[in-house]
Amino acid sequence: MKRRPYKPMSLTQLEALPTKRLLARLKQLHQCEESVSLSDRTGEHTIAGAMFKDSPEWIAAYEQLKRILAGREHKRR
């Protein structure tokens, strides 16, 4: 399965997105690999474009998304 690269967004851009899009981005973050050492990717170019869960960028993106989603209204179906 080919994964699309995760494109970072500013806080303002994220807050403007609907909840459904934020949840899609959260799912995309969850699909990232754990670390470079556990990755089956090869080559510097492939690894350079990937985001891994043990990276500071992933952690910051995850925390930012969780903070925004926590402030959104929850609806039950």
Side-chain angles (χ1 to χ4, degrees), residues 6-73:
Y6 185 85
K7 296 179 182 164
M9 296 176 80
S10 70
L11 183 61
T12 308
Q13 291 172 318
L14 286 172
E15 288 174 338
L17 292 176
T19 304
K20 188 173 184 174
R21 291 276 312 275
L22 291 174
L23 291 172
R25 287 182 66 82
L26 184 63
K27 183 178 178 181
Q28 205 176 13
L29 277 176
H30 281 289
Q31 291 175 345
C32 290
E33 296 183 62
E34 292 295 325
S35 69
V36 175
S37 61
L38 297 175
S39 176
D40 59 351
R41 296 173 184 251
T42 57
E44 289 180 28
H45 178 67
T46 306
I47 291 175
M51 187 183 286
F52 297 95
K53 290 181 181 178
D54 65 349
S55 70
E57 295 85 10
W58 187 92
I59 294 167
Y62 182 78
E63 292 298 321
Q64 191 176 43
L65 261 177
K66 293 295 281 184
R67 209 174 15 247
I68 293 169
L69 285 169
R72 296 283 173 107
E73 182 178 336

